[in-house]
């Protein structure tokens, strides 16, 4: 089973970095993703490890 992040999640990450929160870690290590299937929708959460900000999206 593979997981793909939604476009909204990707955009949030991009915007977040454009807004000035850029990790000094290797690209790709700034964000952690959580996938929680719940019923008919999948709850995707991305968290920035730099500032702790989170964004949640629901994907059908
Ligand atoms: Zn951040």
């Amino acid at each position: 089973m593979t997981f793909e992040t939604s476009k909204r999640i990707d955009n949030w990450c991009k915007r977040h970095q454009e807004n000035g929160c850029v990790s000094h870690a290797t690209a790709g290590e700034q964000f952690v993703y959580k996938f929680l299937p719940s019923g008919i929708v999948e709850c995707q959460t991305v968290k920035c490890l730099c500032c702790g900000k989170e964004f949640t999206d629901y994907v059908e």
Side-chain angles (χ1 to χ4, degrees):
M1 218 174 156
T2 57
F3 293 106
E4 275 185 29
T5 51
S6 72
K7 280 271 180 297
R8 284 185 293 264
I9 293 270
D10 290 342
N11 285 338
W12 183 88
C13 294
K14 217 160 70 177
R15 264 206 322 267
H16 192 67
Q17 290 181 317
E18 282 169 1
N19 285 340
C21 189
V22 179
S23 166
H24 295 291
T26 316
E29 289 182 358
Q30 182 174 356
F31 302 105
V32 284
Y33 303 94
K34 276 183 287 184
F35 301 96
L36 298 170
S38 62
I40 53 164
V41 294
E42 182 182 73
C43 174
Q44 300 188 346
T45 302
V46 58
K47 183 177 184 178
C48 175
L49 294 177
C50 284
C51 65
K53 227 173 174 182
E54 282 186 337
F55 174 75
T56 302
D57 192 17
Y58 298 92
V59 183
E60 280 187 52

